[in-house]
Amino acid sequence: MQVRIARQTPQLQTVVAFYRDGLGLPEVGRFEDHEGYDGVMLDLPGTGAHLEFTATAHVAPPSPHVEDLLVLYLGSREAVDALVARSGAPVVPSANPFWDRAGVTVADPDGFRVVLVAGHWSPR
C-alpha cells in the first residue's frame, strides 16, 4: 500500500513554502491545471508517504480544527528547535497536553497544526 495525504489550500505557494522550505520536506512532484487543480507533492522522509497540497476554484478549502494534527517525529529536541526557528511558524498550545510534553505544536499558514515531536515513535 502507498499513502498520500491530500489537502486543499487557498494559498498553495505559501503552504508549500512552509512545509518544503520551513520544515524541510522534499518536493517530489507538482502539476498545473489537472482537471481544474494545481498541486504539489512533498515527501515525508523515511515513511514512503507523501503530502499533497492542492488549489482549485470550484471547491472551498477545509477549515482547521485544533484536533487536526500532522505529527512529525524528529528524534531530538535540537531537531525540533531547529525546525521551529527555521519555519518561523507560530507556536500554539495543543488541545491535548500530551503533545505539549512530547514536543512543540506550530500552526501552518492555513492554521492547521503540526506537532514536532522530540522523540521517536514506537508501538507499545
Side-chain angles (χ1 to χ4, degrees):
M1 180 183 300
Q2 295 176 305
V3 175
R4 179 176 293 162
I5 302 160
R7 189 185 91 211
Q8 186 184 353
T9 174
Q11 48 184 347
L12 183 61
Q13 297 311 318
T14 301
V15 167
V16 168
F18 170 78
Y19 285 93
R20 183 192 58 214
D21 306 333
L23 297 184
L25 301 180
E27 183 175 323
V28 295
R30 65 174 46 232
F31 54 90
E32 292 182 12
D33 198 24
H34 183 262
E35 299 189 31
Y37 287 85
D38 296 338
V40 177
M41 284 84 67
L42 302 172
D43 186 41
L44 290 168
T47 70
H50 298 141
L51 292 179
E52 176 179 328
F53 293 100
T54 62
T56 186
H58 69 274
V59 178
S63 297
H65 184 277
V66 296
E67 291 292 353
D68 288 335
L69 304 174
L70 174 63
V71 180
L72 302 176
Y73 290 84
L74 302 178
S76 72
R77 185 62 195 206
E78 293 78 19
V80 168
D81 292 343
L83 283 189
V84 169
R86 186 165 105 184
S87 73
V91 173
V92 295
S94 182
N96 179 340
F98 170 81
W99 295 120
D100 289 334
R101 291 189 304 274
V104 174
T105 303
V106 297
D108 79 8
D110 287 338
F112 285 89
R113 292 170 178 227
V114 180
V115 182
L116 305 173
V117 178
H120 295 282
W121 180 81
S122 61
R124 291 183 189 216

